[in-house]
Amino acid sequence: MPGSSRFWAKLASVLAAALVGSPARLPAQTSRRPGLDESHVEVRPTRRAEALVPTRRRDAVAPGDDLTFRPTVLIRRGGSQGSGTVIASSAGGTLVLTASHVLRDEGPIAIELHRYNVGLEREADGSWPLIVSAEVVADDPSGDVAVLKVRKPLQLPYVARLDESGDGPPRPETLVTSLGVDLGNRLSSWKTKVVETARLQLENGEVERPFLITLKIPEHGRSGGGLFTQEGRLVGVCVGHAEMIKGRRMGVFASIESVRRLLREHDLASAVSRSAPRAEAPRRGLAPAADPGRD
């Protein structure tokens, strides 16, 4: 990949086009094209958990699922939808990390919780998904990251673990895993490699922030979903994709550096830290989980 500042300046303008547009126009963007925003697509709200958890697959929980699949949720606001990751949940409240642009429409914010979020994949009743309201408690358009807080008292059993290795962003060629709810109805994961970390200033941002560039590009609805290391540590948030070189689009993810900054500036880091031991603790007495559409 080219490393010149001119190259990255060009990328910044392309990436900005991929994230910014008229709200009246964005919901109609349902096919891949330059400037596609992954959070906007015309899809009817999911009313049954079966849409996300195939009933015919009853595989045992795989290593890392408690830190990746189970904390992944669906977020809706106005004509926008996206994914999110539970990063804290205790008696003091539940926090969900997502992309800032997923929340830019007007209206109430709804989070859909499914059976896999609470380890009840084998429950057959029709009361799922559970719809809970949330509010924005932290937002950084420059880094395209935001944090939501569930309005009602709710303590979820599965919490993602932020990367705290101190090694900096993942190096080029690092294998990572993206989680998200494609098209608002299919929870899935896929593996890809990090190409580079680039400091970019988005069109709706005020300053530069670091972004991870990946080989694979995301599908509609994956914006806001987590990017994880092979050890299950969260290192990024899905933003969208951009044409890095002529004829070749690549994935773009907000960096964990932007996430940490946002948590510090809004006094949320301690809430995340309190949930960390729970994320590490093994879960017992739960039925085996289905593999929710792993690619």
Side-chain angles (χ1 to χ4, degrees), residues 209-254:
R209 289 283 189 262
F211 292 86
L212 299 177
I213 311 301
T214 66
L215 287 175
K216 189 167 182 175
I217 63 177
E219 180 58 272
H220 297 287
R222 188 169 287 260
S223 276
L227 187 71
F228 297 86
T229 66
Q230 296 307 289
E231 295 75 32
R233 298 178 183 273
L234 192 148
V235 292
V237 176
C238 182
V239 167
H241 54 78
E243 189 173 28
M244 304 290 296
I245 56 179
K246 188 175 181 180
R248 178 66 184 272
R249 302 187 75 81
M250 294 184 180
V252 181
F253 293 77

Side-chain angles (χ1 to χ4, degrees), residues 10 25 46 118 135 218 239 247 264 280 282:
K10 179 180 179 181
R25 178 173 57 84
T46 302
V118 289
E135 59 184 348
V239 167
R264 289 196 306 267
E280 301 280 356

Side-chain angles (χ1 to χ4, degrees), residues 52-123:
L52 294 185
V53 184
T55 57
R56 294 184 180 180
R57 301 187 67 179
R58 299 298 183 190
D59 300 335
V61 176
D65 280 4
D66 288 358
L67 297 172
T68 57
F69 273 101
R70 292 189 187 277
T72 301
V73 299
L74 181 66
I75 299 170
R76 302 186 190 275
R77 187 178 200 183
S80 177
Q81 69 175 31
S83 304
T85 307
V86 178
I87 58 171
S89 191
S90 64
T94 293
L95 301 179
V96 176
L97 177 67
T98 188
S100 178
H101 73 267
V102 169
L103 308 171
R104 66 184 171 196
D105 279 3
E106 298 295 329
I109 301 171
I111 296 177
E112 290 190 8
L113 300 177
H114 291 260
R115 294 176 297 176
Y116 60 82
N117 296 128
V118 289
L120 298 176
E121 287 85 349
R122 291 184 179 275
E123 294 292 325

Side-chain angles (χ1 to χ4, degrees), residues 17-292:
L19 300 179
V20 179
S22 166
R25 178 173 57 84
L26 286 172
Q29 297 179 329
T30 57
S31 62
R32 250 184 223 297
R33 66 191 70 178
L36 177 66
D37 181 338
E38 300 299 352
S39 70
H40 284 68
V41 59
E42 292 187 64
V43 177
R44 298 182 65 183
T46 302
R47 302 312 308 169
R48 294 182 62 83
E50 286 76 8
L52 294 185
V53 184
T55 57
R56 294 184 180 180
R57 301 187 67 179
R58 299 298 183 190
D59 300 335
V61 176
D65 280 4
D66 288 358
L67 297 172
T68 57
F69 273 101
R70 292 189 187 277
T72 301
V73 299
L74 181 66
I75 299 170
R76 302 186 190 275
R77 187 178 200 183
S80 177
Q81 69 175 31
S83 304
T85 307
V86 178
I87 58 171
S89 191
S90 64
T94 293
L95 301 179
V96 176
L97 177 67
T98 188
S100 178
H101 73 267
V102 169
L103 308 171
R104 66 184 171 196
D105 279 3
E106 298 295 329
I109 301 171
I111 296 177
E112 290 190 8
L113 300 177
H114 291 260
R115 294 176 297 176
Y116 60 82
N117 296 128
V118 289
L120 298 176
E121 287 85 349
R122 291 184 179 275
E123 294 292 325
D125 67 88
S127 61
W128 301 88
L130 174 64
I131 311 297
V132 296
S133 61
E135 59 184 348
V136 180
V137 292
D139 186 20
D140 176 18
S142 294
D144 205 355
V145 289
V147 177
L148 304 175
K149 184 174 183 179
V150 176
R151 290 182 180 274
K152 62 184 294 185
L154 178 68
Q155 189 168 356
L156 297 174
Y158 300 105
V159 178
R161 179 177 56 189
L162 303 188
D163 179 51
E164 297 179 350
S165 63
D167 297 332
R171 298 179 180 179
E173 299 296 317
T174 298
L175 191 64
V176 289
T177 301
S178 168
L179 268 292
V181 186
D182 293 338
L183 301 176
N185 60 22
R186 183 173 184 269
L187 173 66
S188 69
S189 74
W190 41 254
K191 297 183 186 301
T192 187
K193 286 186 177 181
V194 174
V195 175
E196 183 63 274
T197 298
R199 294 193 67 86
L200 308 172
Q201 183 171 348
L202 304 186
E203 184 175 327
N204 60 333
E206 298 180 352
V207 295
E208 288 185 345
R209 289 283 189 262
F211 292 86
L212 299 177
I213 311 301
T214 66
L215 287 175
K216 189 167 182 175
I217 63 177
E219 180 58 272
H220 297 287
R222 188 169 287 260
S223 276
L227 187 71
F228 297 86
T229 66
Q230 296 307 289
E231 295 75 32
R233 298 178 183 273
L234 192 148
V235 292
V237 176
C238 182
V239 167
H241 54 78
E243 189 173 28
M244 304 290 296
I245 56 179
K246 188 175 181 180
R248 178 66 184 272
R249 302 187 75 81
M250 294 184 180
V252 181
F253 293 77
S255 170
I256 190 65
E257 179 181 325
S258 296
V259 176
R260 290 198 195 98
R261 177 194 296 272
L262 186 66
L263 295 174
R264 289 196 306 267
E265 292 179 349
H266 292 269
D267 297 323
L268 298 173
S270 59
V272 173
S273 296
R274 286 195 296 270
S275 288
R278 295 182 55 247
E280 301 280 356
R283 299 291 301 173
R284 292 186 175 88
L286 295 174
D291 181 342

